[in-house]
Amino acid sequence: MELFLVICLCLVMLYAYILYAQIITKKNKALEALSSIDVQLKQRSSLLPNILIVAEKFMAHEKKVFSEITELRTSATQPYDQNNMEEIDKHLQNANLLDRHLSQFMLNVENYPDLKSDKTMIEAMNTNSEIEAQISASRRFYNSSVRELNTVIEIFPGMVIANLIKIKPMPYYKAESAAQTEVNANEYLS
Amino acid sequence: MNTYRNQAEENYSVNEKRLIELGLDGEFVNHYIKYIAPNLRTVDESRLKIFTAERDDYIHAVIYGVIFGPILGVILAAIIVILACVTVIPAALFALLFIITQGGAVILVPIGLLGLIIASVCCIYKLTLNNYKDKRQKAYYNNINKFIFPNIVNFFGEDYQIIDKTSLFKDFLKEFDVVTELERTISHSVCFKYDDIPISIIEIESVISTTKTNDVTQKKWQYNIFIVAELNKAFSGKTIITQDHGLIGNQIISFVFKSLSRASMEDPEFEKNYEVYTSDQVEARYLCTSSFLERFNALNAIANARVYAYFYQKKLFLQLIMNNKPFYLLPELDIEQPQYFINVTNRVIKETRTMLKIIEKIKINSAL
């Protein structure tokens, strides 16, 4: 009987360890995915000044847009604590805002044929769309990793282990591009 | 010989009615008359050479045997006699004395040697004949590759060419080992540009297993078509899309691709049918966009084959494992008969159209 209990205890401990290892692996994978987003965000941030410098020549009267983008760029690249879920969430929201503003800015560029045909601008826009694709891929990797992690730590008995080692569900990086925001047709028709 | 010649002459003169009677795809008739019919004579002459040269080989064997056989025989006999005369070796003297005392033996020895030499020369010729025959058959097949296939594929556009790109392809095969090396034939590839994207279609026929029963070896073949597209996307890793093989099958596959990790995709329909393995998780998603996954999922219905994809060295290798033998691998032609290449043409047209549908469906020209 005692032997049976010892074997059961060993099996439970082994299972708990496997679960623990699984949670840590998945968390690390999610953090790796988060880092890959940051790499792309940084790449875009370093590209932004080039775009803005060229655009300012043609869109001098839209200074407000430039200052907004510059502010968002600064906040999106600020360091944050990767173990603090709120900070991660805020960081991702900032990135989202920058995404939205930048998409709207790129749409506005269409209204300036001279700017649109500028060689530097064309190159910058191509690079930007390439980075957008990379950010989208990183976002999908991140969300997939977060989904795997959250599924394990929100279901019993993973929930218990996660509480013990203080691992919380991570926030998703929800795409909130201009395409998803409400389009005001009057803006384009006027 | 005349029969062959007459059949060939008949073959050279084809008209629209005759071609339709023979079952040629209606849309292709004009193209056939313009581009393929003028080449039938050239190709068929190389086929006829197989037979004319075979006859000539036999005649030459006899002539050479008759002329050079006696000469060589006499020379050889003379050498023996001279050697016997000049040598001081007792055995040679004994042989000389034996020849002199036996009288007619002096003549019999060269005659015997002569017979031997004629027989040898004939035999050597006979042995080498098959080799020559193979070479001539190859020349015939080469002419088909040179004059017929390119003119069939250029029906789809002037940039459609038959080019040997197999050496490039071997690197890929070495890297992924997806086609067994046991025994395989790689055909020349059809290369063309689709919306400025260079594309090659390559076929590989390979033996996947051999079984031996009652001294009879049976081979199980696998027929693969690879569509290779050079992508504009920048990537440096390896990403593979394989069919879902069930729980155990997938475990075995993940062991085969042990340097790669599994990447789960968001499309549930795609996830049901396929598995993705990659050396870079972000890159896998960069290449396999949501719309690409949807399009890839719809390929099975068009291709009528098992579909796999490999992203490697800035190229997409789309592997289709077919149930039937594909078209560009040279069919086993009856060399006794002049060829119209009707069946080959029909198959090439039909299957090239299928390949183009696949390329269109997968939108290789888009950013995937």
Side-chain angles (χ1 to χ4, degrees):
Chain A
M1 185 64 189
E2 279 175 0
L3 184 70
F4 176 72
L5 280 173
V6 170
I7 292 170
C8 282
L9 196 67
C10 286
L11 284 175
V12 169
M13 282 175 74
L14 183 71
Y15 179 64
Y17 177 75
I18 291 169
L19 214 55
Y20 166 76
Q22 217 178 17
I23 291 169
I24 297 294
T25 311
K26 287 186 192 302
K27 197 201 167 183
N28 287 342
K29 197 178 163 191
L31 290 177
E32 182 200 336
L34 188 61
S35 303
S36 71
I37 292 175
D38 288 342
V39 169
Q40 301 305 330
L41 289 177
K42 269 182 192 156
Q43 269 199 9
R44 191 170 61 182
S45 296
S46 54
L47 175 79
L48 270 177
N50 296 340
I51 295 179
L52 296 180
I53 289 166
V54 180
E56 262 182 333
K57 291 179 200 165
F58 300 88
M59 301 162 82
H61 58 286
E62 298 201 35
K63 277 189 179 162
K64 195 187 159 202
V65 179
F66 296 132
S67 61
E68 272 176 3
I69 291 176
T70 313
E71 268 174 39
L72 285 168
R73 175 183 171 257
T74 317
S75 57
T77 48
Q78 264 176 357
Y80 64 98
D81 182 6
Q82 286 201 335
N83 291 315
N84 186 333
M85 298 308 136
E86 279 166 14
E87 279 195 33
I88 292 175
D89 199 21
K90 199 182 164 193
H91 172 70
L92 294 178
Q93 275 177 21
N94 283 338
N96 251 336
L97 266 175
L98 180 62
D99 259 353
R100 205 172 64 191
H101 276 76
L102 206 60
S103 303
Q104 278 173 348
F105 170 75
M106 288 301 178
L107 280 175
N108 283 346
V109 169
E110 299 287 321
N111 298 329
Y112 298 86
D114 291 341
L115 173 61
K116 210 177 113 184
S117 56
D118 185 90
K119 200 183 162 192
T120 320
M121 193 63 187
I122 292 169
E123 274 174 23
M125 281 173 87
N126 287 341
T127 315
N128 184 58
S129 59
E130 180 66 24
I131 294 172
E132 288 283 342
Q134 293 280 7
I135 290 175
S136 163
S138 305
R139 182 196 291 131
R140 285 168 64 206
F141 175 38
Y142 172 75
N143 284 343
S144 159
S145 310
V146 167
R147 190 183 60 237
E148 281 177 24
L149 172 72
N150 290 357
T151 309
V152 175
I153 64 175
E154 283 173 355
I155 297 173
F156 181 83
M159 192 197 286
V160 180
I161 307 278
N163 276 332
L164 283 173
I165 54 174
K166 289 177 184 166
I167 288 183
K168 288 178 185 170
M170 287 180 78
Y172 285 98
Y173 183 5
K174 287 166 196 150
E176 205 183 314
S177 62
Q180 280 182 303
T181 54
E182 248 178 71
V183 177
N184 184 359
N186 291 331
E187 272 180 30
Y188 296 92
L189 294 170
S190 58
Chain B
M1 184 63 218
N2 282 336
T3 320
Y4 294 133
R5 182 70 70 186
N6 292 339
Q7 281 173 338
E9 286 298 339
E10 189 193 327
N11 192 33
Y12 307 146
S13 55
V14 284
N15 57 40
E16 198 176 329
K17 197 183 160 196
R18 178 98 178 98
L19 288 170
I20 289 169
E21 270 173 16
L22 287 166
L24 185 72
D25 187 318
E27 276 184 60
F28 195 77
V29 171
N30 287 336
H31 184 86
Y32 187 99
I33 291 170
K34 196 173 174 187
Y35 296 100
I36 295 177
N39 290 305
L40 290 178
R41 180 188 291 274
T42 315
V43 174
D44 208 49
E45 272 171 4
S46 61
R47 182 185 68 83
L48 290 169
K49 263 187 195 165
I50 299 170
F51 304 105
T52 52
E54 192 177 21
R55 184 198 61 187
D56 291 347
D57 284 343
Y58 279 110
I59 294 168
H60 290 158
V62 174
I63 293 171
Y64 287 178
V66 168
I67 295 170
F68 295 111
I71 295 169
L72 284 170
V74 169
I75 292 169
L76 212 64
I79 290 168
I80 291 168
V81 171
I82 291 163
L83 274 175
C85 290
V86 297
T87 186
V88 287
I89 300 163
L93 282 172
F94 177 77
L96 186 64
L97 279 171
F98 179 78
I99 291 164
I100 293 164
T101 53
Q102 293 300 310
V106 178
I107 302 157
L108 283 173
V109 170
I111 289 172
L113 283 169
L114 174 72
L116 200 68
I117 288 162
I118 292 173
S120 310
V121 171
C122 289
C123 280
I124 292 163
Y125 254 87
K126 182 70 188 155
L127 284 172
T128 52
L129 271 179
N130 284 334
N131 187 28
Y132 285 129
K133 196 175 174 181
D134 279 352
K135 277 184 183 170
R136 282 171 199 130
Q137 274 187 19
K138 266 187 188 168
Y140 172 50
Y141 290 142
N142 283 343
N143 272 347
I144 296 172
N145 277 328
K146 195 174 166 188
F147 297 106
I148 302 298
F149 277 122
N151 283 310
I152 298 175
V153 296
N154 73 12
F155 172 66
F156 295 95
E158 279 181 8
D159 61 329
Y160 282 65
Q161 291 176 335
I162 304 258
I163 299 170
D164 188 356
K165 279 206 170 178
T166 50
S167 58
L168 267 173
F169 197 63
K170 277 174 187 162
D171 286 346
F172 163 76
L173 291 179
K174 211 174 171 184
E175 183 67 34
F176 287 100
D177 197 25
V178 288
V179 179
T180 172
E181 270 187 79
L182 205 59
E183 193 179 315
R184 67 186 175 203
T185 318
I186 305 177
S187 77
H188 284 195
S189 49
V190 178
C191 300
F192 56 95
K193 279 194 172 179
Y194 184 83
D195 274 0
D196 283 339
I197 293 181
I199 289 176
S200 311
I201 301 174
I202 307 170
E203 290 182 359
I204 302 182
E205 189 183 37
S206 67
V207 174
I208 48 170
S209 65
T210 50
T211 47
K212 204 173 181 181
T213 43
N214 300 331
D215 289 338
V216 180
T217 310
Q218 282 188 322
K219 292 173 180 177
K220 197 177 172 191
W221 292 88
Q222 188 185 66
Y223 307 111
N224 308 273
I225 295 182
F226 280 88
I227 299 174
V228 187
E230 287 176 27
L231 300 178
N232 289 326
K233 284 194 163 187
F235 63 96
S236 53
K238 288 186 272 185
T239 298
I240 299 171
I241 302 174
T242 71
Q243 300 263 322
D244 188 291
H245 292 92
L247 197 66
I248 299 165
N250 289 343
Q251 285 300 320
I252 296 167
I253 286 177
S254 62
F255 182 73
V256 173
F257 301 125
K258 55 189 168 202
S259 62
L260 310 177
S261 62
R262 192 182 169 275
S264 59
M265 297 289 150
E266 304 85 352
D267 188 329
E269 198 61 32
F270 177 87
E271 277 289 290
K272 211 169 20 174
N273 300 325
Y274 299 99
E275 293 279 303
V276 178
Y277 295 93
T278 182
S279 58
D280 185 329
Q281 291 281 340
V282 176
E283 200 172 83
R285 280 145 182 115
Y286 170 65
L287 294 166
C288 305
T289 58
S290 306
S291 56
F292 173 78
L293 298 180
E294 206 173 300
R295 282 179 258 133
F296 193 84
N297 216 11
L299 275 191
N300 270 343
I302 304 173
N304 193 23
R306 280 177 287 149
V307 190
Y308 294 79
Y310 307 86
F311 293 92
Y312 175 63
Q313 288 184 342
K314 294 185 180 176
K315 290 187 189 77
L316 164 66
F317 294 80
L318 212 60
Q319 182 187 16
L320 312 170
I321 301 178
M322 315 290 285
N323 299 321
N324 304 313
K325 193 170 181 169
F327 48 93
Y328 294 115
L329 288 167
L330 210 56
E332 285 140 13
L333 295 171
D334 180 7
I335 56 163
E336 299 282 331
Q337 299 294 324
Q339 292 293 324
Y340 290 92
F341 306 103
I342 299 291
N343 289 337
V344 176
T345 305
N346 283 343
R347 278 169 61 198
V348 170
I349 294 170
K350 191 183 162 196
E351 300 208 20
T352 306
R353 279 183 179 143
T354 310
M355 294 304 121
L356 287 171
K357 266 187 198 168
I358 291 170
I359 290 162
E360 209 168 300
K361 185 77 194 174
I362 206 90
K363 287 193 177 162
I364 282 173
N365 54 334
S366 76
L368 291 176

PDB file of all heavy atoms in Angstrom, chain A residues 106-126:
ATOM      1  N   MET A 106       0.198  56.765 -44.841  1.00  0.00           N
ATOM      2  CA  MET A 106       0.519  56.199 -46.158  1.00  0.00           C
ATOM      3  C   MET A 106      -0.638  56.412 -47.135  1.00  0.00           C
ATOM      4  O   MET A 106      -0.431  56.609 -48.329  1.00  0.00           O
ATOM      5  CB  MET A 106       0.834  54.706 -46.037  1.00  0.00           C
ATOM      6  CG  MET A 106       2.161  54.420 -45.370  1.00  0.00           C
ATOM      7  SD  MET A 106       3.534  55.181 -46.263  1.00  0.00           S
ATOM      8  CE  MET A 106       4.895  54.713 -45.216  1.00  0.00           C
ATOM      9  N   LEU A 107      -1.860  56.370 -46.606  1.00  0.00           N
ATOM     10  CA  LEU A 107      -3.027  56.635 -47.461  1.00  0.00           C
ATOM     11  C   LEU A 107      -3.023  58.093 -47.918  1.00  0.00           C
ATOM     12  O   LEU A 107      -3.346  58.393 -49.066  1.00  0.00           O
ATOM     13  CB  LEU A 107      -4.318  56.330 -46.704  1.00  0.00           C
ATOM     14  CG  LEU A 107      -4.749  54.861 -46.613  1.00  0.00           C
ATOM     15  CD1 LEU A 107      -5.970  54.721 -45.723  1.00  0.00           C
ATOM     16  CD2 LEU A 107      -5.070  54.297 -47.993  1.00  0.00           C
ATOM     17  N   ASN A 108      -2.628  58.983 -46.996  1.00  0.00           N
ATOM     18  CA  ASN A 108      -2.569  60.409 -47.331  1.00  0.00           C
ATOM     19  C   ASN A 108      -1.533  60.687 -48.411  1.00  0.00           C
ATOM     20  O   ASN A 108      -1.725  61.581 -49.249  1.00  0.00           O
ATOM     21  CB  ASN A 108      -2.222  61.238 -46.094  1.00  0.00           C
ATOM     22  CG  ASN A 108      -3.424  61.399 -45.175  1.00  0.00           C
ATOM     23  OD1 ASN A 108      -4.557  61.130 -45.577  1.00  0.00           O
ATOM     24  ND2 ASN A 108      -3.179  61.811 -43.946  1.00  0.00           N
ATOM     25  N   VAL A 109      -0.450  59.931 -48.376  1.00  0.00           N
ATOM     26  CA  VAL A 109       0.626  60.114 -49.377  1.00  0.00           C
ATOM     27  C   VAL A 109       0.065  59.989 -50.794  1.00  0.00           C
ATOM     28  O   VAL A 109       0.516  60.678 -51.724  1.00  0.00           O
ATOM     29  CB  VAL A 109       1.768  59.089 -49.121  1.00  0.00           C
ATOM     30  CG1 VAL A 109       2.746  59.056 -50.275  1.00  0.00           C
ATOM     31  CG2 VAL A 109       2.487  59.418 -47.820  1.00  0.00           C
ATOM     32  N   GLU A 110      -0.950  59.146 -50.944  1.00  0.00           N
ATOM     33  CA  GLU A 110      -1.583  58.940 -52.246  1.00  0.00           C
ATOM     34  C   GLU A 110      -2.112  60.261 -52.826  1.00  0.00           C
ATOM     35  O   GLU A 110      -2.230  60.415 -54.033  1.00  0.00           O
ATOM     36  CB  GLU A 110      -2.746  57.941 -52.135  1.00  0.00           C
ATOM     37  CG  GLU A 110      -2.341  56.548 -51.656  1.00  0.00           C
ATOM     38  CD  GLU A 110      -1.589  55.762 -52.706  1.00  0.00           C
ATOM     39  OE1 GLU A 110      -1.951  55.853 -53.885  1.00  0.00           O
ATOM     40  OE2 GLU A 110      -0.605  55.057 -52.338  1.00  0.00           O
ATOM     41  N   ASN A 111      -2.446  61.202 -51.927  1.00  0.00           N
ATOM     42  CA  ASN A 111      -3.002  62.488 -52.392  1.00  0.00           C
ATOM     43  C   ASN A 111      -1.929  63.447 -52.904  1.00  0.00           C
ATOM     44  O   ASN A 111      -2.244  64.533 -53.376  1.00  0.00           O
ATOM     45  CB  ASN A 111      -3.775  63.173 -51.262  1.00  0.00           C
ATOM     46  CG  ASN A 111      -4.959  62.329 -50.806  1.00  0.00           C
ATOM     47  OD1 ASN A 111      -5.536  61.601 -51.604  1.00  0.00           O
ATOM     48  ND2 ASN A 111      -5.298  62.418 -49.533  1.00  0.00           N
ATOM     49  N   TYR A 112      -0.671  63.076 -52.736  1.00  0.00           N
ATOM     50  CA  TYR A 112       0.440  63.946 -53.168  1.00  0.00           C
ATOM     51  C   TYR A 112       1.254  63.238 -54.258  1.00  0.00           C
ATOM     52  O   TYR A 112       2.204  62.509 -53.951  1.00  0.00           O
ATOM     53  CB  TYR A 112       1.344  64.290 -51.972  1.00  0.00           C
ATOM     54  CG  TYR A 112       0.628  65.055 -50.886  1.00  0.00           C
ATOM     55  CD1 TYR A 112      -0.086  64.381 -49.899  1.00  0.00           C
ATOM     56  CD2 TYR A 112       0.659  66.455 -50.851  1.00  0.00           C
ATOM     57  CE1 TYR A 112      -0.772  65.068 -48.907  1.00  0.00           C
ATOM     58  CE2 TYR A 112      -0.014  67.139 -49.864  1.00  0.00           C
ATOM     59  CZ  TYR A 112      -0.734  66.447 -48.887  1.00  0.00           C
ATOM     60  OH  TYR A 112      -1.398  67.122 -47.918  1.00  0.00           O
ATOM     61  N   PRO A 113       0.867  63.405 -55.510  1.00  0.00           N
ATOM     62  CA  PRO A 113       1.537  62.685 -56.603  1.00  0.00           C
ATOM     63  C   PRO A 113       3.045  62.909 -56.640  1.00  0.00           C
ATOM     64  O   PRO A 113       3.806  61.971 -56.916  1.00  0.00           O
ATOM     65  CB  PRO A 113       0.877  63.232 -57.865  1.00  0.00           C
ATOM     66  CG  PRO A 113      -0.399  63.842 -57.408  1.00  0.00           C
ATOM     67  CD  PRO A 113      -0.197  64.286 -56.005  1.00  0.00           C
ATOM     68  N   ASP A 114       3.487  64.150 -56.335  1.00  0.00           N
ATOM     69  CA  ASP A 114       4.925  64.441 -56.363  1.00  0.00           C
ATOM     70  C   ASP A 114       5.665  63.642 -55.301  1.00  0.00           C
ATOM     71  O   ASP A 114       6.746  63.101 -55.543  1.00  0.00           O
ATOM     72  CB  ASP A 114       5.184  65.934 -56.124  1.00  0.00           C
ATOM     73  CG  ASP A 114       4.714  66.755 -57.298  1.00  0.00           C
ATOM     74  OD1 ASP A 114       4.542  66.159 -58.385  1.00  0.00           O
ATOM     75  OD2 ASP A 114       4.504  67.970 -57.127  1.00  0.00           O
ATOM     76  N   LEU A 115       5.046  63.594 -54.128  1.00  0.00           N
ATOM     77  CA  LEU A 115       5.648  62.834 -53.025  1.00  0.00           C
ATOM     78  C   LEU A 115       5.639  61.334 -53.331  1.00  0.00           C
ATOM     79  O   LEU A 115       6.620  60.624 -53.108  1.00  0.00           O
ATOM     80  CB  LEU A 115       4.864  63.114 -51.733  1.00  0.00           C
ATOM     81  CG  LEU A 115       5.224  62.298 -50.511  1.00  0.00           C
ATOM     82  CD1 LEU A 115       6.670  62.523 -50.099  1.00  0.00           C
ATOM     83  CD2 LEU A 115       4.313  62.652 -49.329  1.00  0.00           C
ATOM     84  N   LYS A 116       4.519  60.879 -53.896  1.00  0.00           N
ATOM     85  CA  LYS A 116       4.345  59.461 -54.201  1.00  0.00           C
ATOM     86  C   LYS A 116       5.380  58.980 -55.214  1.00  0.00           C
ATOM     87  O   LYS A 116       5.821  57.834 -55.188  1.00  0.00           O
ATOM     88  CB  LYS A 116       2.932  59.248 -54.763  1.00  0.00           C
ATOM     89  CG  LYS A 116       2.362  57.874 -54.445  1.00  0.00           C
ATOM     90  CD  LYS A 116       0.950  57.796 -54.970  1.00  0.00           C
ATOM     91  CE  LYS A 116       0.864  56.793 -56.092  1.00  0.00           C
ATOM     92  NZ  LYS A 116      -0.446  56.746 -56.702  1.00  0.00           N
ATOM     93  N   SER A 117       5.766  59.905 -56.121  1.00  0.00           N
ATOM     94  CA  SER A 117       6.706  59.486 -57.177  1.00  0.00           C
ATOM     95  C   SER A 117       8.167  59.781 -56.813  1.00  0.00           C
ATOM     96  O   SER A 117       9.068  59.491 -57.596  1.00  0.00           O
ATOM     97  CB  SER A 117       6.342  60.176 -58.492  1.00  0.00           C
ATOM     98  OG  SER A 117       6.322  61.567 -58.288  1.00  0.00           O
ATOM     99  N   ASP A 118       8.367  60.342 -55.621  1.00  0.00           N
ATOM    100  CA  ASP A 118       9.742  60.621 -55.185  1.00  0.00           C
ATOM    101  C   ASP A 118      10.490  59.296 -54.976  1.00  0.00           C
ATOM    102  O   ASP A 118       9.977  58.368 -54.324  1.00  0.00           O
ATOM    103  CB  ASP A 118       9.712  61.410 -53.865  1.00  0.00           C
ATOM    104  CG  ASP A 118      11.098  61.834 -53.436  1.00  0.00           C
ATOM    105  OD1 ASP A 118      11.522  62.923 -53.829  1.00  0.00           O
ATOM    106  OD2 ASP A 118      11.743  61.035 -52.715  1.00  0.00           O
ATOM    107  N   LYS A 119      11.714  59.239 -55.520  1.00  0.00           N
ATOM    108  CA  LYS A 119      12.468  57.971 -55.510  1.00  0.00           C
ATOM    109  C   LYS A 119      12.721  57.472 -54.071  1.00  0.00           C
ATOM    110  O   LYS A 119      12.507  56.298 -53.765  1.00  0.00           O
ATOM    111  CB  LYS A 119      13.802  58.178 -56.230  1.00  0.00           C
ATOM    112  CG  LYS A 119      14.425  56.868 -56.688  1.00  0.00           C
ATOM    113  CD  LYS A 119      15.782  57.130 -57.322  1.00  0.00           C
ATOM    114  CE  LYS A 119      16.585  55.843 -57.365  1.00  0.00           C
ATOM    115  NZ  LYS A 119      17.980  56.101 -57.707  1.00  0.00           N
ATOM    116  N   THR A 120      13.143  58.414 -53.209  1.00  0.00           N
ATOM    117  CA  THR A 120      13.433  58.029 -51.820  1.00  0.00           C
ATOM    118  C   THR A 120      12.154  57.537 -51.141  1.00  0.00           C
ATOM    119  O   THR A 120      12.165  56.570 -50.375  1.00  0.00           O
ATOM    120  CB  THR A 120      13.996  59.226 -51.027  1.00  0.00           C
ATOM    121  OG1 THR A 120      14.883  59.936 -51.869  1.00  0.00           O
ATOM    122  CG2 THR A 120      14.703  58.780 -49.782  1.00  0.00           C
ATOM    123  N   MET A 121      11.057  58.236 -51.443  1.00  0.00           N
ATOM    124  CA  MET A 121       9.777  57.860 -50.834  1.00  0.00           C
ATOM    125  C   MET A 121       9.329  56.473 -51.309  1.00  0.00           C
ATOM    126  O   MET A 121       8.843  55.670 -50.506  1.00  0.00           O
ATOM    127  CB  MET A 121       8.719  58.922 -51.194  1.00  0.00           C
ATOM    128  CG  MET A 121       7.464  58.803 -50.391  1.00  0.00           C
ATOM    129  SD  MET A 121       7.804  59.076 -48.639  1.00  0.00           S
ATOM    130  CE  MET A 121       6.237  58.682 -47.927  1.00  0.00           C
ATOM    131  N   ILE A 122       9.515  56.226 -52.604  1.00  0.00           N
ATOM    132  CA  ILE A 122       9.120  54.911 -53.150  1.00  0.00           C
ATOM    133  C   ILE A 122       9.893  53.804 -52.432  1.00  0.00           C
ATOM    134  O   ILE A 122       9.322  52.811 -51.973  1.00  0.00           O
ATOM    135  CB  ILE A 122       9.349  54.850 -54.689  1.00  0.00           C
ATOM    136  CG1 ILE A 122       8.367  55.781 -55.397  1.00  0.00           C
ATOM    137  CG2 ILE A 122       9.187  53.427 -55.210  1.00  0.00           C
ATOM    138  CD1 ILE A 122       8.653  56.001 -56.867  1.00  0.00           C
ATOM    139  N   GLU A 123      11.210  54.040 -52.313  1.00  0.00           N
ATOM    140  CA  GLU A 123      12.053  53.028 -51.643  1.00  0.00           C
ATOM    141  C   GLU A 123      11.626  52.837 -50.192  1.00  0.00           C
ATOM    142  O   GLU A 123      11.494  51.714 -49.705  1.00  0.00           O
ATOM    143  CB  GLU A 123      13.521  53.467 -51.683  1.00  0.00           C
ATOM    144  CG  GLU A 123      14.220  53.038 -52.961  1.00  0.00           C
ATOM    145  CD  GLU A 123      15.621  53.596 -53.066  1.00  0.00           C
ATOM    146  OE1 GLU A 123      16.216  53.927 -52.028  1.00  0.00           O
ATOM    147  OE2 GLU A 123      16.120  53.712 -54.205  1.00  0.00           O
ATOM    148  N   ALA A 124      11.367  53.991 -49.516  1.00  0.00           N
ATOM    149  CA  ALA A 124      10.959  53.918 -48.104  1.00  0.00           C
ATOM    150  C   ALA A 124       9.628  53.208 -47.951  1.00  0.00           C
ATOM    151  O   ALA A 124       9.444  52.404 -47.028  1.00  0.00           O
ATOM    152  CB  ALA A 124      10.873  55.327 -47.536  1.00  0.00           C
ATOM    153  N   MET A 125       8.716  53.483 -48.879  1.00  0.00           N
ATOM    154  CA  MET A 125       7.403  52.839 -48.801  1.00  0.00           C
ATOM    155  C   MET A 125       7.509  51.344 -49.051  1.00  0.00           C
ATOM    156  O   MET A 125       6.838  50.538 -48.388  1.00  0.00           O
ATOM    157  CB  MET A 125       6.432  53.480 -49.796  1.00  0.00           C
ATOM    158  CG  MET A 125       5.877  54.799 -49.291  1.00  0.00           C
ATOM    159  SD  MET A 125       4.909  55.644 -50.533  1.00  0.00           S
ATOM    160  CE  MET A 125       3.305  54.916 -50.271  1.00  0.00           C
ATOM    161  N   ASN A 126       8.371  50.962 -50.007  1.00  0.00           N
ATOM    162  CA  ASN A 126       8.577  49.531 -50.262  1.00  0.00           C
ATOM    163  C   ASN A 126       9.152  48.839 -49.031  1.00  0.00           C
ATOM    164  O   ASN A 126       8.701  47.752 -48.651  1.00  0.00           O
ATOM    165  CB  ASN A 126       9.519  49.321 -51.458  1.00  0.00           C
ATOM    166  CG  ASN A 126       8.832  49.647 -52.765  1.00  0.00           C
ATOM    167  OD1 ASN A 126       7.606  49.683 -52.830  1.00  0.00           O
ATOM    168  ND2 ASN A 126       9.610  49.893 -53.802  1.00  0.00           N
TER     169      ASN A 126
END
